[in-house]
Amino acid sequence: MCSYITHKVRVSGSAKGPSGWMRVDTANVYFDHPFHAPLDHALAIDFVCHADGAKERVAVELSAESARELVAKILIALKEGEIAHEQAEMAELHY
Amino acid sequence: MPYRGTIAETLKFKGHNGDEGDAYYARPTAPGRYPGVVLIHHMPGWDEWITEAVRKLALHGFATIAPHLYFREGGSPDDAAAKARDKGGVSDAQVVGDASGAAAFLRARPESNGKVGVIGFCSGGRHAYLVACTLPKEINACVNCWGGNVVIDDPKLLTPQRPVPPIQMTGQLACPVLGLFGNEDQNPNRDHVNRLEDALKKAGKSYDFHRYDGAGHAFFNASRVAYRPEQAADGWAKVMAFYHKHLG
């Protein structure tokens, strides 16, 4: 089906688009027919910057399975990274 | 008998509010008068498969135009589709205006026989039904290929862009409708298809519905795993026969 369901996520950061690095403030997330990936449905994310007029985007179209794997790995990376940084800060304090 | 000669090109058409945008147009090259078809793309936009479908219809004798419904957004077709989605999708009124402009383009062509059909896929199937209901004097035959959200139960799905479920406009129809659906589709599911057929029957409209086992959504699209060659071949043959009967 063609779905109009789109989840908008406010994000803060940068992405590398067709003209180089750009700020991003919004991620549009949806599960629908992709434009490019040879899948019936894909988890698509469009990173844009509305503050700059959303003239460009950084896009991905992922299979449902790989999108779930990505979500899991993002959470693991965040958790492990935060723990590692906390430990480094603690070590500096004790140094 | 050799294949019919055709020519395809990207050109400009005037759509809703007189806005000028891109369209893909293909027609037979042999002198003569040909029926026209307005082909409405699916939600991912004005993509390569849409151009293939336009050329296929031209090969079978139909001068066919696929207006780029997201042209106002600018940029590449895929970026334009993303921008349209970001805004909640194009409005029904704008789509009807663009389809009306595309139909006028076809009728103004020297090769036109004066008749125009509409066909759409996925969200474009919904649009095709909407356009046929809204423009009864401009559309002579309608093909709805698995159009989702023609039947809407959840009022939350009604938006300022799409305020009325097209099934409620069935009484305005003035042309025959061909409907092609996959029995494994989730939107429209079997219940949606049955309810649309009931509405057409009760309103005394001319319609021909075909439901395919072993097929889901978008089974014509050879670039997707949903492609079902046997069902697609049968479906395309039904589309051509329907248009030759009602537009020829």
Side-chain angles (χ1 to χ4, degrees):
Chain A
M1 62 174 280
C2 293
S3 163
Y4 292 92
I5 300 166
T6 303
H7 294 278
K8 287 184 176 289
V9 186
R10 289 186 63 84
V11 296
S12 176
S14 296
K16 195 166 186 180
S19 304
W21 282 98
M22 60 188 215
R23 289 192 303 154
V24 291
D25 61 15
T26 304
N28 289 326
V29 184
Y30 48 97
F31 186 58
D32 207 339
H33 301 308
F35 191 94
H36 186 270
L39 302 163
D40 288 340
H41 296 96
L43 189 286
I45 308 175
D46 294 329
F47 292 97
V48 298
C49 185
H50 280 293
D52 293 338
K55 292 172 187 161
E56 294 185 330
R57 66 173 177 145
V58 174
V60 292
E61 295 176 338
L62 305 172
S63 71
E65 186 180 64
S66 61
R68 287 193 171 92
E69 182 73 5
L70 176 64
V71 169
K73 294 296 185 192
I74 287 173
L75 294 175
I76 290 170
L78 277 169
K79 188 175 180 181
E80 290 179 347
E82 284 170 347
I83 289 171
H85 288 295
E86 276 178 21
Q87 288 174 342
E89 284 171 14
M90 291 294 286
E92 277 182 24
L93 284 174
H94 292 291
Y95 184 68
Chain B
M1 186 175 171
Y3 286 112
R4 187 193 306 274
T6 59
I7 186 168
E9 55 193 321
T10 299
L11 38 68
K12 299 291 183 185
F13 83 110
K14 282 195 175 175
H16 190 59
N17 286 334
D19 298 340
E20 189 175 78
D22 291 323
Y24 190 78
Y25 179 62
R27 62 176 172 83
T29 50
R33 302 280 187 178
Y34 297 97
V37 173
V38 177
L39 188 150
I40 303 181
H41 62 67
H42 51 173
M43 194 155 176
W46 198 53
D47 64 12
E48 191 167 320
W49 184 76
I50 291 299
T51 71
E52 293 171 12
V54 168
R55 293 194 297 275
K56 188 175 186 74
L57 282 158
L59 187 66
H60 286 263
F62 303 100
T64 304
I65 185 170
H68 179 12
L69 298 181
Y70 307 145
F71 71 83
R72 294 170 184 83
E73 305 300 335
S76 63
D78 60 317
D79 284 343
K83 288 177 189 171
R85 176 181 284 274
D86 188 34
K87 296 174 179 174
V90 290
S91 74
D92 283 351
Q94 183 175 294
V95 171
V96 169
D98 285 350
S100 179
F105 169 93
L106 291 171
R107 287 199 168 91
R109 297 283 303 189
E111 64 269 16
S112 171
N113 77 347
K115 292 188 177 176
V116 172
V118 65
I119 187 171
F121 307 91
C122 309
S123 62
R126 176 187 174 279
H127 284 145
Y129 195 80
L130 170 82
V131 165
C133 291
T134 312
L135 304 172
K137 293 181 180 175
E138 298 176 44
I139 302 299
N140 303 112
C142 170
V143 179
N144 168 10
C145 294
W146 49 91
N149 296 325
V150 174
V151 179
I152 290 181
D153 294 318
D154 182 356
K156 282 187 287 189
L157 294 176
L158 299 175
T159 64
Q161 290 98 330
R162 293 170 294 282
V164 180
I167 190 174
Q168 292 182 11
M169 304 175 185
T170 299
Q172 301 166 221
L173 262 178
C175 70
V177 177
L178 175 67
L180 303 178
F181 308 97
N183 279 332
E184 294 170 12
D185 201 341
Q186 299 303 306
N187 188 4
N189 60 29
R190 293 182 189 211
D191 179 58
H192 296 147
V193 175
N194 291 339
R195 286 160 64 186
L196 183 59
E197 182 171 25
D198 284 346
L200 286 159
K201 192 173 184 179
K202 283 178 184 166
K205 304 301 180 183
S206 170
Y207 69 90
D208 188 11
F209 273 24
H210 296 274
R211 300 159 171 86
Y212 290 92
D213 286 328
H217 201 73
F219 59 90
F220 275 22
N221 194 328
S223 64
R224 304 270 182 241
V225 292
Y227 181 54
R228 297 291 180 272
E230 288 186 18
Q231 294 88 334
D234 186 82
W236 271 122
K238 285 184 167 54
V239 170
M240 304 308 176
F242 176 79
Y243 277 153
H244 280 301
K245 179 180 177 183
H246 295 290
L247 302 177

